[in-house]
Amino acid sequence: MQRITILGATGSIGASTLDVLARHPEQYQVYALSAHTRVEELAAACRSCRPARAVVGTADAAARLALLIADLPTSVEYGEQALCDIASNADTDTVMAAIVGAAGLAPTLAAARAGKKVLLANKEALVMSGQLFMDAVREHNATLLPIDSEHNAIFQSLPAAFGRVPAAAGVAKILLTASGGPFLNRAVETLGDVTPDEACKHPNWVMGRKISVDSATMMNKGLEVIEAHWLFGAPADQIEVVIHPQSVIHSMVSYVDGSVLAQLGNPDMRTPIAHALAYPDRIASGVAQLDLTQMAALQFFPPDFTRFPCLALAFDALRAGGTAPALLNAANEVAVDAFLERRIGFRDIDRVIRHALDAVEHGPAPSIEAVLAQDARAREAAAHAVASLH
Ligand code: NDP
Ligand code: MG
């Protein structure tokens, strides 16, 4: 029996994880679930998998949850310390890190420091803390498996040396595919007018609202370039973004002999989730087999950095190093929130980020405290930029 904690159980990844787990009750047992605000959804999940512990964001949410599940043996807690505890407790083996944004950093890091098997969906945590996070994984002998579909595909296409790019493996490039999101072909001059709902209508994937906006700006791909750098130890120049609107090939690795290895599948996050849960075995995920005879033509082309300035900003942040990716991530979170709340337009997102990156100088990242201090400064600068545009 593998005992599982799901951080962010009420989200899109959380729901897909619960779906895969429910197919294999003899192999997996849920130890703890977390949510932030969606108390009713968490109560329903507790009812179906009866975890020992459930954690929410506030005392008020905890009181509401406790009322809803008073008949269950589940203990109800709230706050960051409780999140870190369910991620690192001796009673759990595997942690699905599926909180969105910087809020996931502390519990995800706690899981790594406790030497857990960490299934990483929360890319922002790794983008912020890069070297520090990877050091914690190594130092505490944690197992880090990528859930992001592209990184899971790259992991599957690399030689078995545990997902890193070994110097002798003959890897020429990591080819990170990107759908291009809902605005791939929309006239650039009309992008200023798009609504949050239009930005969240992804052509191939159903996801939470923050990552959906990131996909529309292609900041998601930028964060994924940084994520690939840390996960696989590949320098920025070895990572190439390829637009592939059909999202059938989830990413590729090209080798010096001319071989290209790819992972294909229907666009459904239950595939990478099942892969990471069972690794190195395989389990059914509920995803239909890919029918290649039903595929329309698969297309590939290079990204347009003018249409998608956020992608260029992310490459710049990776090359700058230190706390630059943390600044980028923090400013992006503030800008996306402001866009979703209709306080700024879609084209203002990259402006706000640029302003924050100009206002706060990046530096070395010797500790998580230093990273969080920079994160706070970038949020302040971004909020200032939002206010001036509003
Ligand atoms: P959702 O918005 O659907 O879910 C986010 C989850 O995080 C919810 O359970 C939410 O709780 C919780 N949460 C939000 N804010 C906080 C907070 N401040 N403290 C603690 N918990 C919080 O997001 P997704 O599932 O789409 O994405 C989750 C992560 O996975 C992101 O980092 C995303 O980039 C990554 N990812 C997602 C993919 C996808 O297909 N969805 C694909 C690849 C990566 P509540 O809802 O109860 O408030
Ligand atoms: Mg992805």
Side-chain angles (χ1 to χ4, degrees), residues 9 26 69 112 123 128 164 207 349 353 367 370:
E26 70 299 339
I69 58 168
K123 62 192 91 185
M128 289 172 73
R164 306 279 299 168
M207 309 182 285
I349 294 175
I353 299 168
S367 65

Side-chain angles (χ1 to χ4, degrees), residues 32 71 97 99 101-102 105 107 152 157 159 181 196 217 253 280-281 283 323 329 339 365 383:
D71 56 319
I99 290 175
L105 176 59
N152 187 270
S157 305
T217 61
V253 177
D281 296 333
I283 54 170
T323 55
N329 178 68
F339 170 69

Side-chain angles (χ1 to χ4, degrees), residues 182-310:
F183 305 140
L184 181 60
N185 298 311
R186 187 177 169 127
V188 176
E189 57 287 359
T190 68
L191 283 177
D193 309 323
V194 300
T195 65
D197 283 345
E198 284 175 299
C200 288
K201 218 176 270 153
H202 197 280
N204 308 331
W205 300 93
V206 182
M207 309 182 285
R209 283 172 81 77
K210 191 263 178 181
I211 184 177
S212 296
V213 175
D214 284 349
S215 298
T217 61
M218 278 193 80
M219 178 57 93
N220 181 51
K221 208 50 52 182
L223 298 177
E224 290 184 357
V225 168
I226 301 172
E227 184 185 12
H229 165 75
W230 290 115
L231 284 175
F232 306 118
D237 295 339
Q238 212 181 9
I239 306 169
E240 190 175 316
V241 173
V242 181
I243 304 272
H244 166 44
Q246 292 79 17
S247 301
V248 170
I249 294 182
H250 297 306
S251 275
M252 299 170 262
V253 177
S254 78
Y255 289 85
V256 289
D257 61 4
S259 300
V260 177
L261 299 194
Q263 186 258 1
L264 287 70
N266 286 314
D268 187 321
M269 289 307 292
R270 290 177 300 174
T271 294
I273 290 167
H275 172 266
L277 273 170
Y279 181 81
D281 296 333
R282 298 263 178 186
I283 54 170
S285 65
V287 178
Q289 296 295 312
L290 185 64
D291 183 353
L292 285 168
T293 64
Q294 294 301 304
M295 296 280 88
L298 300 184
Q299 297 167 297
F300 304 93
F301 39 91
D304 173 351
F305 287 94
T306 323
R307 176 182 287 271
F308 298 113
C310 287

